[in-house]
Amino acid sequence: MTTLGAVYLPYLPPERLRAVAQAADEAGLEELWLWEDCFLEGGVASMSAALAWTERLRVGIGLLPVPLRNVAVAAMEVATLDRLFPGRALVGIGHGVQDWMGQVGVRAESPVTLLREYGTALRALLAGERVTTKGRYVSLDGVALDWPPPARPPLFVGAVGPRSLRLAGELGDGTLLSGGTPPDEVRRARALVDEGRARRAEGADDPHQIVVSVHAAIGPDAAERLEAERVKWGMTRSRSGA
């Protein structure tokens, strides 16, 4: 099943978000995804505003960089959004851009280990569990949410490289791919995600959504503007990573 949505780029000023979110809602789009790129707009604040301004639109964050937030704080934010706007808040987590993480002093030596520990703890907290764990990066001592969601909301995992894609399949209910990922790479990513899903103790047959944005343009000079976007985002470059 294909879901049609749009992306609000954080390179646009925050004050334009209301009009865009309401236009997407009125146009019948199913989802609006927000990016949290450093050092632009905060994803949680933008998501909560977009949800409040709309009636039926699902709003996603793609993604929250896990080195920037304690997992208990992230769980509190996600749980609050889910209870305020049931079924409409879609949250993605991921490594974050490593250069940006280095700029703020939180770059992890092993991003995959951090994402595994973080995603495992976040799923458990959002399921209403009391969590005690002591990992390389994530440590919790008897932490449980006082206001957990009635049912655990879906968790999306952003991934590019093979190890991260397998982990996304293992931990996530959906996977976020880089914008402009071509069809052949989407198929490759899907296969790696399915390898990770096969490792799950349970839920390997549950639906798993793949989210990828494609560039589009309409109106005068659409082809030229689209080509400029392709060059700007380096869509011809090969992708590698964890």
Side-chain angles (χ1 to χ4, degrees), residues 41-211:
E41 295 153 17
V44 174
S46 298
M47 172 187 257
S48 59
L51 287 165
W53 288 328
T54 56
E55 297 294 330
R56 39 152 295 280
L57 189 70
R58 294 191 297 272
V59 180
I61 301 178
L63 45 75
L64 298 177
V66 298
L68 286 176
R69 286 180 180 78
N70 180 279
V71 68
V73 174
M76 291 162 58
E77 298 280 21
V78 176
T80 300
L81 287 167
D82 185 76
R83 293 182 71 108
L84 288 172
F85 308 100
R88 294 178 57 209
L90 308 175
V91 176
I93 61 172
H95 303 304
V97 175
Q98 295 306 295
D99 287 346
W100 292 339
M101 299 303 101
Q103 279 184 271
V104 295
V106 296
R107 184 169 184 165
E109 184 177 348
S110 177
V112 174
T113 300
L114 168 57
L115 187 58
R116 177 180 292 279
E117 293 179 0
Y118 195 104
T120 301
L122 183 58
R123 284 179 64 94
L125 289 168
L126 293 175
E129 300 177 18
R130 184 170 299 277
V131 181
T132 296
T133 183
K134 188 168 181 61
R136 182 175 177 180
Y137 297 104
V138 175
S139 295
L140 298 172
D141 183 9
V143 175
L145 298 176
D146 284 347
W147 294 103
R152 184 183 63 79
L155 180 65
F156 292 79
V157 178
V160 175
R163 287 189 297 159
S164 296
L165 286 164
R166 293 187 185 99
L167 182 59
E170 191 174 346
L171 288 180
D173 304 294
T175 299
L176 305 175
L177 301 182
S178 299
T181 302
D184 286 346
E185 291 199 30
V186 173
R187 284 187 282 269
R188 178 190 68 88
R190 174 88 246 188
L192 291 165
V193 166
D194 287 343
E195 288 181 21
R197 295 175 72 200
R199 300 174 182 174
R200 296 172 66 157
E202 57 183 24
D205 295 329
D206 292 346
H208 188 102
Q209 185 177 357
I210 301 291
V211 180

